[in-house]
Amino acid sequence: MASSSLFSATISHLDYAAVCFVYILDYETQRFFEKSITLPPIGKKVQLSEYVLETALCNHSDMKIQFLNGGNNETQMTVTIPDFDGEVLHADLTIHHPEDDDSLNVVIPWNRQTFQFTAKHHSLPTEGYVKIGDKRYSFDAHESFAVLDFGRGVWPRESTWNWAMASQKCRGHRIGLNFGGQWTDGTGMTENAFFYDGVMTKIHEDVIFEYDEQDFTKCWSIRTKFSDDVHLVFKPFFERISNSDAKLIQSNVHQLFGYFDGYVRTETGQTIPIRQMLGSSEVHKAKW
C-alpha cells in the first residue's frame, strides 16, 4: 500500500482453470480498474511454487505477472498489461522481507480430504512504481508496504469467508492486521494475528465480523468472540464488487477499502491503539 494508491496482483490455479487478475485503486480520485484472465489448466502459462517464497509466473499476451524470489530477502514483482483500461500498465516493485520478521502460517483442517495452508506476510517495505499510460504511482519503502497472501489446499465445493487486513506505519511503527472469519469456524484453528514491528501476536480465538449484507458500505464491527483482545470498527469508503459465473466456478466478492479504528491487545496485556489505519475487509462466497 502507498499513501495514494493500492495495487494488487493475483495468480491462482484451481486445477481445472487458472485465474489471474490485477487491479488498482487511486485513493484520491477513487479511479478503479480491474482486469482478469482465465486460462486452461494445461500448459506452462501459469507457474506456481510449492513454497511461499519461490517464483510464481503468469505469462500470457494479455497479462504478464512475475514474482521472482532470488533468495536475498527480496521479491521482484513485475506486471505488464498491454490494454489496461485502454492504456499500457507496467509495474516494477521490489518487496523487502526483513530477516527477523514473523509471518503467519497455519493449516486449516476441515476433514481428512479437505484442508488449506495459508501464509500471510505483512508490512513488507516496498519500493518501485506502477505506470498506467502517462500516470505514474511511486512507492517508497519507508511509507509503502506489501502483503503476501499464499495458499495451497483442497477446498470444499462451497466456501464463504471474511478477511480483514491492513499494513501501515503508524506513529513510527510498522503494524499489520490479519483477521479471518467463517471459513475457519469449528476447526480449532484461526488465521488471526497482528504484527508490531515484525513481531506477531497470534489470536487463537475466533473473530466475529458484523456488517450489513444489504449495504456493505456501512461500518463493520470486527472483534474477538470471547475476549476483548480485538475491538475494531471498520469504516469503508470504496467497494470493489467482483462476480463471476462460469458454471463450474462461481465467485461473489464484496471487498471494502476503508479505515480501522479501535485497538488490539498483545499477550502481555499491552493495548495498541489503531487510529485511521488504511486497509480492507471482504466477504467472499465461492463454488470451486
Side-chain angles (χ1 to χ4, degrees), residues 151-262:
R152 295 199 66 161
V154 179
W155 282 72
R157 176 72 175 107
E158 298 186 21
S159 303
T160 300
W161 69 80
N162 296 120
W163 182 34
M165 65 92 174
S167 278
Q168 192 175 325
K169 184 174 283 186
C170 299
R171 299 175 301 281
H173 298 278
R174 286 186 298 129
I175 298 179
L177 307 177
N178 195 93
F179 302 114
Q182 297 196 64
W183 74 287
T184 60
D185 291 355
T187 66
M189 300 293 291
T190 77
E191 62 164 345
N192 301 323
F194 64 89
F195 302 82
Y196 189 80
D197 287 335
V199 177
M200 181 179 72
T201 295
K202 181 70 174 68
I203 305 295
H204 298 285
E205 62 182 295
D206 291 337
V207 167
I208 305 301
F209 289 71
E210 294 180 343
Y211 47 86
D212 187 341
E213 293 199 20
Q214 304 304 314
D215 184 358
F216 292 101
T217 63
K218 293 182 179 178
C219 287
W220 294 38
S221 169
I222 301 171
R223 55 183 174 78
T224 36
K225 187 174 183 178
F226 300 108
S227 71
D228 61 351
D229 288 344
V230 175
H231 192 283
L232 296 168
V233 173
F234 175 70
K235 186 176 181 180
F237 62 76
F238 185 86
E239 181 178 15
R240 167 184 171 248
I241 300 174
S242 178
N243 294 317
S244 60
D245 186 354
K247 306 303 180 184
L248 190 62
I249 306 171
Q250 297 178 17
S251 176
N252 176 257
V253 182
H254 290 265
Q255 183 182 18
L256 289 302
F257 301 95
Y259 294 99
F260 292 93
D261 283 285

Side-chain angles (χ1 to χ4, degrees), residues 6-14 18-24 32-39 46 58 62-65 67 77 79 81 84 89 149 161 163 240 242 244 251 253 255 257 282 284 288:
L6 177 143
F7 181 70
S8 177
T10 298
I11 303 174
S12 65
H13 200 299
L14 308 176
V19 181
C20 303
F21 57 94
V22 172
Y23 62 81
I24 189 168
F32 175 85
F33 190 74
E34 178 172 2
K35 182 158 188 173
S36 175
I37 61 172
T38 301
L39 304 173
V46 172
C58 172
D62 292 336
M63 182 181 296
K64 296 182 187 299
I65 305 172
F67 296 96
M77 174 182 171
V79 180
I81 302 176
F84 190 81
L89 179 147
D149 177 15
W161 69 80
W163 182 34
R240 167 184 171 248
S242 178
S244 60
S251 176
V253 182
Q255 183 182 18
F257 301 95
E282 69 179 47
H284 191 155
W288 306 105

